[in-house]
Amino acid sequence: MVNVDALGGLPVPQSWADLLKPEYKGMVGYLDPSSAFVGYVSAVAINQAMGGSLDNFGPAIDYFQKLAKNSPIVPKQTAYARVLSGELPILVDYDFNAYRARYKDKANVAFVIPKEGTIGVPYVVSMVAKAPHRANAEKVLDFVLSDAGQALWAKAYLRPVRSKMPADVAAQFLPDSDYARAGVVDYQRMAAVQEAFAARYLREEK
């Protein structure tokens, strides 16, 4: 997400490669991958885009080392307010935060899916094993996955998984052609290797 007004006339970056350009020095932020899940998602996205895999994070480590020369801002946790204020002009973050900033908080914020690609990460809901009120839990899950339930998610700027968005809401999102650059990974494997990546990041980036 990009606070356009805080760029000082520079163009909105369109790729991971753009963030390495010297003109964006001190403007780029990402959440610490060792302490924030969205930071880890960013690392996986960069790694996949640079040709890595969940068994080879070398490309992500190499990218972060290059980005370090551009004096990035690396908060431990959420930095939404810092983007709105312009203190942090560019933040690698989820799309819904950018849309919320633009349409709810009325900030001049743009969202970009990098040309090299990224990943999508789903919200996960589940029913507790041996739930004492299973029927009620099933009703909740059924509603969440219904057209009405998915429309509520869409109105909160989260892309629905099984139904089309209302036209007025869809118009606020980037086109599907842009989201085609957001791939999927083995999320179970992604979770399994998170701790090892965090340790490597702290060892090689700090």
Side-chain angles (χ1 to χ4, degrees):
M1 59 187 289
V2 182
N3 184 325
V4 179
D5 294 335
L7 291 180
L10 290 171
V12 174
Q14 298 295 313
S15 66
W16 296 115
D18 283 347
L19 301 185
L20 302 178
K21 294 179 178 179
E23 53 262 45
Y24 296 109
K25 187 171 184 177
M27 292 186 173
V28 179
Y30 64 92
L31 297 191
D32 189 331
S34 68
S35 62
F37 183 68
V38 64
Y40 177 54
V41 171
S42 301
V44 174
I46 291 167
N47 194 58
Q48 297 289 124
M50 299 298 137
S53 70
L54 295 176
D55 295 310
N56 172 24
F57 275 97
I61 295 297
D62 180 65
Y63 182 87
F64 284 126
Q65 289 173 343
K66 292 176 180 176
L67 186 59
K69 298 176 182 178
N70 237 11
S71 303
I73 301 167
V74 189
K76 288 290 185 182
Q77 289 293 338
T78 182
Y80 180 82
R82 296 173 71 178
V83 177
L84 292 189
S85 71
E87 176 190 352
L88 180 49
I90 303 166
L91 178 65
V92 181
D93 201 359
Y94 294 129
D95 58 350
F96 61 81
N97 278 331
Y99 297 137
R100 176 164 64 105
R102 184 174 184 86
Y103 297 112
K104 183 177 180 181
D105 291 321
K106 307 302 181 183
N108 187 14
V109 167
F111 179 67
V112 177
I113 296 177
K115 290 180 179 178
E116 303 95 330
T118 187
I119 64 168
V121 176
Y123 269 92
V124 178
V125 293
S126 61
M127 183 169 59
V128 176
K130 300 180 182 179
H133 304 289
R134 182 182 180 90
N136 288 340
E138 289 177 347
K139 288 179 181 178
V140 170
L141 292 176
D142 286 344
F143 176 75
V144 167
L145 294 174
S146 70
D147 287 346
Q150 291 289 289
L152 290 177
W153 286 108
K155 290 177 182 178
Y157 308 113
L158 294 151
R159 283 166 57 84
V161 296
R162 60 165 301 274
S163 59
K164 292 184 178 180
M165 290 183 279
D168 59 327
V169 176
Q172 297 179 321
F173 284 71
L174 291 178
D176 288 344
S177 58
D178 282 20
Y179 278 98
R181 298 196 297 276
V184 298
V185 296
D186 181 336
Y187 298 109
Q188 187 172 4
R189 179 65 180 161
M190 178 177 166
V193 300
Q194 181 176 1
E195 186 175 342
F197 170 78
R200 182 177 178 184
Y201 174 84
L202 289 172
R203 186 171 62 250
E204 299 187 30
E205 297 298 321
K206 295 298 181 76

